[in-house]
Amino acid sequence: MSFRTRRYFHAFLEEDLKRVEDRIKEVPETRVELIESIYRYVTESVGKMIRPALLLLAAKAVGEVEEEAIELAAIVELIHIASMVHDDILDEATTRRSRPTVVRKWGIEGGLLFGDFLISIVSHNLSDLNPRYTKLVSKAIKRMCEGEFIEFFYPPSVHTYLKVIRQKTAILMTLASQLGAIAGGGRAEDLIRLGRYGMNIGMAFQIVDDILDLVGDEEIMGKDGKRDIKSGKLTLPVLYALEGEVGSGKDIMSLIEERKGIEKAYALSEEFVRKAKKAIDPYKERPAWEAMMDLADYILSRDS
Ligand code: FPP
Ligand code: MG
């Protein structure tokens, strides 16, 4: 696995994450060789596996990880990969996970069609499972698409930003936690609490992602930096810096520094992490609790 900094939650989930990774690496049956090549390419390096980790931890918070949780964890990671392949087309990104993006290698056609193919695999794999998962998964994908729509077509504001990141990022993490809660045999209240944990983790994750885009090290992140500014995407630190701004003509990075855009955005991500930790209070006695707290801390301290 390509984790730069090995964390407790990775160690805690090691065997199960390995099973998820092996499942993801199983190339789906296809008559088109090129699809196989792209599939191998995108699954070669597995990344941080945050969504599978959320799912497995939720299952462990309420019960045990069975085969169904492994399959669901592979499904959420495939949705994530598909969304990244499409997102890289929208953002004209050239690098992800330290390698050329699918769109860079196979063009818009390749990226678009491969993302569609992955979603077809998700729906195929889901059809083998209990139908109660399908509704949650399809609702989440729908909301992710809506989030991207809002981001690209609606006027930016702090309010809109929070709505967008809830939909494009936090919803998939909420889904992961909820699927894990169900697969682990949780009750309705577990679904709510663990969903809340995933949602708040997701909000903090995307804010930190947007901070890293501005000030992170491209080599460590494995993707292009300052992409948001270059493409005119107004993320939280920028929106904070521009609040009440009447065109001083100052460079945006100086404004962000002067108005403490990064610090303010980071403070909000800390607030989300605090809420995430609070949501899992009832699981303090479970062995998964410490790993869930560690994952929450990792979201704030990560550099990639
Ligand atoms: C990354 O944002 C984008 C997302 C988390 C969501 C992308 C969602 C879609 C394209 C719609 C759903 C599509 C499918 C196929 C399910 P970012 O650009 O800020 O992050 P980055 O820096 O990692 O690119
Ligand atoms: Mg992007």
Side-chain angles (χ1 to χ4, degrees):
M1 238 172 234
S2 61
F3 305 132
R4 282 187 63 254
T5 333
R6 215 176 141 67
R7 300 283 309 212
Y8 173 65
F9 79 88
H10 288 138
F12 180 75
L13 296 171
E14 183 157 27
E15 278 171 30
D16 292 325
L17 278 177
K18 177 77 179 74
R19 286 166 71 196
V20 178
E21 184 181 338
D22 290 346
R23 177 68 184 104
I24 292 169
K25 287 191 165 161
E26 277 173 38
V27 182
E29 212 275 306
T30 165
R31 295 173 190 175
V32 180
E33 252 175 57
L34 178 58
I35 295 179
E36 266 186 35
S37 311
I38 307 181
Y39 190 92
R40 286 208 174 83
Y41 182 77
V42 296
T43 53
E44 221 160 70
S45 92
V46 289
K48 298 183 282 286
M49 299 273 272
I50 300 288
R51 294 142 194 94
L54 282 170
L55 195 146
L56 298 170
L57 286 170
K60 280 179 181 273
V62 294
E64 297 304 324
V65 166
E66 310 283 354
E67 196 48 43
E68 193 174 56
I70 302 294
E71 185 64 17
L72 287 164
I75 285 173
V76 292
E77 188 62 13
L78 287 183
I79 298 173
H80 171 59
I81 296 173
S83 74
M84 290 300 99
V85 170
H86 278 183
D87 179 70
D88 286 339
I89 300 174
L90 295 165
D91 290 350
E92 296 174 19
T94 55
T95 314
R96 181 169 297 276
R97 293 183 184 170
S98 306
R99 294 177 330 151
T101 52
V102 172
V103 57
R104 175 93 187 268
K105 276 183 80 80
W106 288 282
I108 293 180
E109 298 84 350
L112 194 64
L113 296 169
F114 182 73
D116 292 346
F117 176 82
L118 278 187
I119 293 301
S120 79
I121 296 304
V122 162
S123 113
H124 174 82
N125 292 353
L126 263 177
S127 68
D128 289 332
L129 302 179
N130 190 318
R132 67 191 166 154
Y133 297 120
T134 315
K135 206 168 218 165
L136 284 175
V137 172
S138 54
K139 217 161 130 187
I141 296 179
K142 176 177 133 194
R143 294 205 58 203
M144 289 171 75
C145 294
E146 289 171 349
E148 288 279 293
F149 251 97
I150 299 169
E151 172 156 35
F152 279 89
F153 289 100
Y154 286 75
S157 68
V158 171
H159 177 78
T160 307
Y161 171 85
L162 293 174
K163 192 156 127 186
V164 165
I165 68 167
R166 184 173 297 273
Q167 299 207 187
K168 76 170 186 179
T169 307
I171 286 288
L172 186 56
M173 302 208 183
T174 312
L175 174 77
S177 301
Q178 290 180 335
L179 295 178
I182 301 175
R187 293 161 301 171
E189 58 260 41
D190 296 310
L191 215 77
I192 294 172
R193 290 173 189 144
L194 292 164
R196 192 173 294 142
Y197 171 77
M199 169 63 72
N200 284 296
I201 290 287
M203 295 298 282
F205 181 92
Q206 187 60 48
I207 295 174
V208 171
D209 210 68
D210 293 338
I211 292 174
L212 287 174
D213 180 81
L214 291 166
V215 294
D217 180 321
E218 292 192 7
E219 204 133 308
I220 297 175
M221 292 191 296
K223 60 184 181 184
D224 328 322
K226 302 224 173 40
R227 270 231 62 85
D228 295 337
I229 292 229
K230 284 177 201 152
S231 64
K233 210 187 255 186
L234 302 187
T235 58
L236 194 60
V238 182
L239 289 162
Y240 280 151
L242 293 176
E243 263 175 354
E245 167 67 15
V246 280
S248 63
K250 271 194 188 151
D251 151 70
I252 189 66
M253 288 310 285
S254 332
L255 264 184
I256 293 173
E257 196 171 336
E258 195 176 293
R259 301 203 169 162
K260 304 212 175 314
I262 303 282
E263 290 83 345
K264 282 169 79 178
Y266 195 76
L268 188 61
S269 66
E270 284 177 316
E271 183 59 22
F272 283 117
V273 164
R274 197 190 56 73
K275 285 187 192 160
K277 287 180 169 176
K278 192 162 168 14
I280 54 167
D281 259 354
Y283 307 100
K284 268 192 173 143
E285 304 305 320
R286 299 284 303 171
W289 179 78
E290 224 169 295
M292 294 176 96
M293 295 294 278
D294 181 61
L295 188 150
D297 288 331
Y298 163 73
I299 299 299
L300 294 176
S301 65
R302 74 198 181 95
D303 54 10
S304 71

